[in-house]
Amino acid sequence: MTNDSLLQVRDLKKYFEIKRGFFWGEPAKVHAVDGVSFDLLRGETLGLVGESGCGKSTTGRLILRLIEATAGDVLFEGTSIFKAGKSEMRALRQRMQIIFQDPYSSLNPRMTVEQIVGEGIVIHKLCKTRHERRERVADLLQKVGISPEQMHRYPHEFSGGQRQRVGIARALAVNPKLIIADEPISALDVSIQAQVINLLEDLQDQFNLTYLFIAHDLRVVEHISDRVAVMYLGKIVELADSQELYAKPMHPYTEALLSAIPIPDPTTKRRRIILEGDPPSPINPPKGCRFHTRCHKRFDRCDKEEPALREVDPRHWVSCHLY
Ligand code: SF4
């Protein structure tokens, strides 16, 4: 732990039970998140990246206690979220907000934008009068680039990018310190994506926000992240400062993900590493290194022994027997 840690995630696990039919006996367990640990430092953006189903969104939801963890702990400013009672949890919820992937389904279609953005202000009693609340909603809308005159409209009257801006205003309304952005741009047109990223960066400076930015593509998090954590099959396999990770990836999975990103400079060549097949089932993760069934560098030890996540260079953590 450092004094700068806003959030500490410790050995977080989530196993979902699935029924297998009458004659199968014990229900199977999906190891969605299987021992994830990291710190989030105040004011930083940590990108959390991996293929779909790797457990990154579940990790975000566990941190906010939108779903209950199987094991582990999450400390927000030193307070255990999992041990918090109802009133403590309510106070913590104000400090931690989420922006969802799909701006189409995450906004209540029967509420006006004023009601959507103002809901948290009402719940947490942040304004004394209706007039004060309306002023605050107007100010928030302006900050995210939506005209306050549009606050009486409904979500379906806005484009995808505008709806995501409304989602951002809703998150900001309760003065959070941490925002978990769960694939906030993947449902948007490419032309809009950069605008939303720029907006999030501006707001981070203005409000001194800390972001956990979840994405399935390393390209998306490159510019916004101070550090990046790569997840595979429920575990973090590499975590490093952003520049270091992109310049010197160590884990073969990170190498493969990066090799798929086109380089703008045509004179620079990068060997494409093709990832074979899909990730194995999280119901029965492979023994040893979970990545060994797809790894282009695997050797004897890899399918027998699970590598630990170790700091192999200063601030550069990798779980691979090669280091
Ligand atoms: Fe590949 Fe072995 Fe490293 Fe796993 S431990 S990433 S299989 S080289």
Side-chain angles (χ1 to χ4, degrees):
M1 170 191 176
T2 74
N3 291 335
D4 283 343
S5 296
L6 180 70
L7 190 86
Q8 295 160 264
V9 177
R10 293 290 173 264
D11 205 16
L12 192 60
K13 292 181 181 160
K14 179 65 186 178
Y15 302 158
F16 293 104
E17 287 198 352
I18 48 167
K19 291 210 174 74
R20 296 209 282 189
F22 188 74
F23 294 107
W24 280 80
E26 288 281 295
K29 286 196 176 90
V30 176
H31 297 67
V33 175
D34 208 0
V36 163
S37 299
F38 61 87
D39 280 16
L40 249 181
L41 310 181
R42 269 173 220 283
E44 80 164 340
T45 298
L46 175 68
L48 187 60
V49 178
E51 289 162 291
S52 93
C54 72
K56 56 193 190 299
S57 290
T58 306
T59 301
R61 280 164 172 71
L62 289 169
I63 290 170
L64 296 174
R65 228 173 124 183
L66 297 177
I67 48 177
E68 294 293 330
T70 306
D73 204 357
V74 176
L75 307 176
F76 183 85
E77 295 187 317
T79 301
S80 167
I81 291 172
F82 296 166
K83 293 186 189 115
K86 255 190 178 169
S87 65
E88 215 175 349
M89 201 56 224
R90 178 184 284 227
L92 284 166
R93 284 248 157 79
Q94 190 190 333
R95 296 288 177 219
M96 303 183 293
Q97 291 288 302
I98 185 164
I99 301 167
F100 293 99
Q101 173 181 3
D102 186 358
Y104 296 89
S105 63
S106 63
L107 306 178
N108 187 333
R110 283 181 288 277
M111 287 166 78
T112 64
V113 162
E114 181 183 5
Q115 290 169 325
I116 290 168
V117 177
E119 198 178 20
I121 300 173
V122 175
I123 291 170
H124 295 287
K125 301 187 178 77
L126 299 178
C127 290
K128 289 196 183 75
T129 64
R130 218 171 142 179
H131 175 72
E132 199 185 319
R133 186 170 78 229
R134 182 163 285 178
E135 295 272 288
R136 181 160 168 73
V137 170
D139 183 47
L140 286 161
L141 289 176
Q142 203 136 38
K143 285 203 161 74
V144 300
I146 289 183
S147 164
E149 283 147 28
Q150 297 183 301
M151 71 164 77
H152 308 296
R153 295 194 177 177
Y154 290 87
H156 74 268
E157 297 177 78
F158 292 89
S159 67
Q162 286 173 317
R163 281 187 236 200
Q164 196 53 291
R165 286 171 190 265
V166 172
I168 294 168
R170 173 176 62 182
L172 281 180
V174 294
N175 301 323
K177 288 187 174 177
L178 166 67
I179 290 188
I180 295 183
D182 186 7
E183 304 226 26
I185 60 166
S186 48
L188 304 177
D189 286 348
V190 176
S191 58
I192 310 292
Q193 290 183 348
Q195 293 173 18
V196 173
I197 293 268
N198 290 341
L199 173 66
L200 287 169
E201 285 182 319
D202 289 347
L203 294 169
Q204 182 169 40
D205 291 343
Q206 270 185 62
F207 296 98
N208 195 21
L209 296 165
T210 302
Y211 289 147
L212 179 65
F213 195 104
I214 297 168
H216 61 263
D217 189 339
L218 271 169
R219 201 174 356 187
V220 168
V221 297
E222 182 170 5
H223 296 292
I224 197 169
S225 301
D226 301 295
R227 293 187 301 148
V228 174
V230 178
M231 268 187 93
Y232 185 79
L233 219 57
K235 288 183 182 275
I236 291 179
V237 295
E238 185 159 9
L239 194 166
D241 289 342
S242 195
Q243 278 189 337
E244 160 95 2
L245 187 112
Y246 287 83
K248 198 180 135 194
M250 290 190 176
H251 197 281
Y253 179 56
T254 315
E255 277 182 320
L257 292 180
L258 276 175
S259 79
I261 300 178
I263 301 173
D265 177 1
T267 59
T268 312
K269 291 231 173 342
R270 184 154 59 192
R271 188 171 67 93
R272 176 88 197 262
I273 302 161
I274 308 287
L275 275 176
E276 285 166 26
D278 295 322
S281 163
I283 297 174
N284 281 314
K287 298 252 175 327
C289 172
R290 289 181 178 205
F291 187 56
H292 82 260
T293 55
R294 301 168 84 197
C295 181
H296 58 286
K297 290 185 175 170
R298 68 178 169 264
F299 57 102
D300 283 355
R301 192 175 161 199
C302 300
D303 58 357
K304 296 180 186 72
E305 209 181 302
E306 185 164 19
L309 186 67
R310 293 185 308 111
E311 192 173 16
V312 297
D313 270 347
R315 296 169 58 83
H316 196 150
W317 297 72
V318 186
S319 78
C320 174
H321 292 312
L322 291 169
Y323 303 98

